[in-house]
Amino acid sequence: MITSTGLPPPRYEPTRGLALWGTDEVQAALEVVRSRSLFRYYGPDLQHRADRFEQDLASTVGTRHAIAVSSGTAALACALVGLGMPAGAEVIIPALTFVGCVNAISWARGVPVIAAVDDTLTLDPTVLDALVTDRTFAVMPVHLGNVAADLDPILAVARRHGLRVLEDCAQAAGVSYRGRRVGAIGYVGSFSFQLEKNITAGEGGALTTDDDGIHDRAVRYQDQGGQFTTSRGQTRGGDSPEPFVGVNLRMTELIAAILQVQLGRLDPMLERLRTVAGHVRAELAGAVPVWRRIPDEAGSGGDVTMLLGTRIKARSVLSALVAAGVPARTPYQGQGVYANAAVRDGRTAWGSEWKRPARCHATEQIAGGAVTIDLGAAMTDDDVSWLVDTVRATLTATGVEATDPATAS
Ligand SMILES: *Cc1c(COP(=O)(O)O)cnc(C)c1O
């Protein structure tokens, strides 16, 4: 089959939770539909699916609390509200990330400050000190593509300056760093369950925290300031010590039921992906001299990213891989999040709110030379052998050798 782009379709589906979707997800969804109780806080025959998903997620991540919400962007905004961020405060994010990080900060009335990434493709801890001002409130490491950011040095900088740490775990549910799950290491963690993520119900998000105060504020914010916080129909907004107005970011029972099934698939899936990734990198060791650095390999969820050093090499390898049916990409086209015109100019729905950020040349250099091969959770052993053979043959045919990004021009 040839697709409308003239390219062959990928040999395997490059998705995670979605590739494992089965009859259990269908059954769980049907139960909720039959109960006619899709609202999480009351209904004729409430199944308490959102409550149960929150409990399961908290115990998987290892936090006291989890709050299910409508999206990953909502979870990030809710987390900033939970942290008590004042309007106009600054939040440091990595340049290589999804625009949702900026959108959530703007929604919570903060200002994004963009920092370089290093050869982990995550926040470079060495650039943080210089970005801290008297308005800096938080730092938001993003665990990109199932690889945890190097949190220890980031936490050290945060401690030194009294910054909150909000982990964006949208692309790394279930991943660990030095024996702890991401989302349990900073003050608060944020997750997305959009279609491309590790576990999915099409949309959805959650935040995790050990802190009762963050939990209380966030749970009220996502529910109109605390309208239906208990399933017994009691409100909390009125008797709370500091009531404030909220919005509606609530998760539905239908989404929660599907996510609870998907969550049960997470650990075996990550173990398989980690094994596959390790095997692919080992088999290609001679052909690819420089791989993305992974701060905690044993805790990762399986990454195969070559750092080829230059944009020209990455383009030629990428187009040959895609032509051969390998699902591959250069992360965010090797561009900083400020490549988005609204982000660059600080344009929000209410007007211009921040000045043009400085470009991160080191980030563009490293990311522009990167090629990530997307693995699929349902890959067979045959798919894996095919992948190794195809990538090796492609690299030989393109004659590309990796160049150390530090010395590439
Ligand atoms: C997907 C994603 C988000 C946002 O999640 P949505 O559920 O799409 O709102 C935030 N941050 C990162 C890094 C993501 O990949």
Side-chain angles (χ1 to χ4, degrees):
M1 189 177 79
I2 298 288
T3 59
S4 60
T5 56
L7 293 167
R11 149 111 184 199
Y12 55 87
E13 186 182 305
T15 61
R16 288 168 294 277
L18 187 63
L20 303 180
W21 194 285
T23 52
D24 288 351
E25 280 83 351
V26 174
Q27 187 57 38
L30 276 176
E31 279 170 26
V32 173
V33 172
R34 290 199 178 107
S35 75
R36 298 191 304 124
S37 303
L38 279 70
F39 181 61
R40 69 168 294 182
Y41 292 124
Y42 60 81
D45 181 21
L46 186 61
Q47 311 285 304
H48 298 282
R49 292 294 195 150
D51 290 348
R52 284 155 61 188
F53 173 63
E54 287 175 344
Q55 281 158 19
D56 289 359
L57 183 67
S59 83
T60 300
V61 173
T63 51
R64 281 164 46 77
H65 305 289
I67 306 171
V69 293
S70 52
S71 74
T73 309
L76 287 172
C78 215
L80 291 170
V81 170
L83 285 164
M85 181 173 74
E90 294 174 354
V91 180
I92 300 174
I93 60 169
L96 198 66
T97 191
F98 179 57
V99 71
C101 296
V102 173
N103 297 343
I105 293 166
S106 165
W107 167 356
R109 304 192 64 195
V111 173
V113 171
I114 296 172
V117 306
D118 58 19
D119 59 346
T120 66
L121 303 184
T122 64
L123 211 51
D124 179 352
T126 67
V127 304
L128 295 179
D129 273 313
L131 294 171
V132 174
T133 71
D134 53 8
R135 289 179 304 281
T136 312
F137 178 79
V139 56
M140 189 195 288
V142 175
H143 304 303
L144 199 79
N146 276 318
V147 170
D150 202 0
L151 285 177
D152 281 345
I154 295 170
L155 290 167
V157 176
R159 259 194 302 275
R160 203 152 61 233
H161 297 283
L163 309 179
R164 322 304 191 276
V165 177
L166 160 51
E167 298 176 66
D168 183 345
C169 314
Q171 300 183 17
V175 163
S176 308
Y177 175 79
R178 312 226 161 133
R180 288 157 79 196
R181 302 270 194 163
V182 297
I185 303 168
Y187 285 54
V188 52
S190 166
F191 296 83
S192 166
F193 309 119
Q194 186 267 345
L195 205 63
E196 293 177 18
K197 315 296 180 171
N198 284 350
I199 64 170
T200 185
E203 290 277 16
L207 52 149
T208 51
T209 186
D210 276 332
D211 186 292
D212 294 343
I214 294 172
H215 172 260
D216 182 60
R217 287 178 60 88
V219 86
R220 284 190 279 135
Y221 184 67
Q222 59 91 40
D223 177 36
Q224 311 281 23
Q227 198 58 39
F228 295 105
T229 309
T230 74
S231 54
R232 294 172 296 282
Q234 294 160 348
T235 66
R236 293 210 330 202
D239 49 62
S240 145
E242 280 174 52
F244 56 91
V245 297
V247 292
N248 176 1
L249 308 172
R250 294 179 301 240
M251 179 176 279
T252 70
E253 289 283 285
L254 186 56
I255 295 281
I258 294 168
L259 288 174
Q260 203 187 9
V261 175
Q262 286 262 296
L263 188 59
R265 305 189 190 281
L266 182 61
D267 279 342
M269 176 183 79
L270 291 178
E271 195 181 333
R272 164 76 177 160
L273 288 169
R274 183 163 52 240
T275 306
V276 168
H279 172 79
V280 169
R281 289 197 313 267
E283 289 287 311
L284 294 170
V288 179
V290 185
W291 296 101
R292 173 189 186 185
R293 185 163 62 84
I294 301 179
D296 181 353
E297 169 65 42
S300 84
D303 176 75
V304 180
T305 300
M306 27 191 149
L307 300 184
L308 297 167
T310 70
R311 219 165 259 273
I312 291 172
K313 289 180 184 179
R315 282 215 188 106
S316 95
V317 168
L318 181 61
S319 58
L321 286 174
V322 171
V326 175
R329 69 203 150 78
T330 287
Y332 299 105
Q333 292 83 48
Q335 294 180 316
V337 65
Y338 46 70
N340 176 302
V343 171
R344 190 170 55 238
D345 298 335
R347 267 185 277 128
T348 71
W350 302 272
S352 179
E353 298 206 344
W354 60 85
K355 290 208 265 310
R356 180 174 291 224
R359 272 177 74 170
C360 300
H361 294 285
T363 296
E364 293 182 34
Q365 170 85 48
I366 294 170
V371 173
T372 296
I373 294 169
D374 287 310
L375 303 177
M379 284 176 91
T380 63
D381 290 348
D382 276 355
D383 291 332
V384 177
S385 317
W386 170 87
L387 181 65
V388 167
D389 293 344
T390 307
V391 175
R392 190 184 284 121
T394 306
L395 288 167
T396 307
T398 50
V400 164
E401 277 266 291
T403 315
D404 185 343
T407 57
S409 55

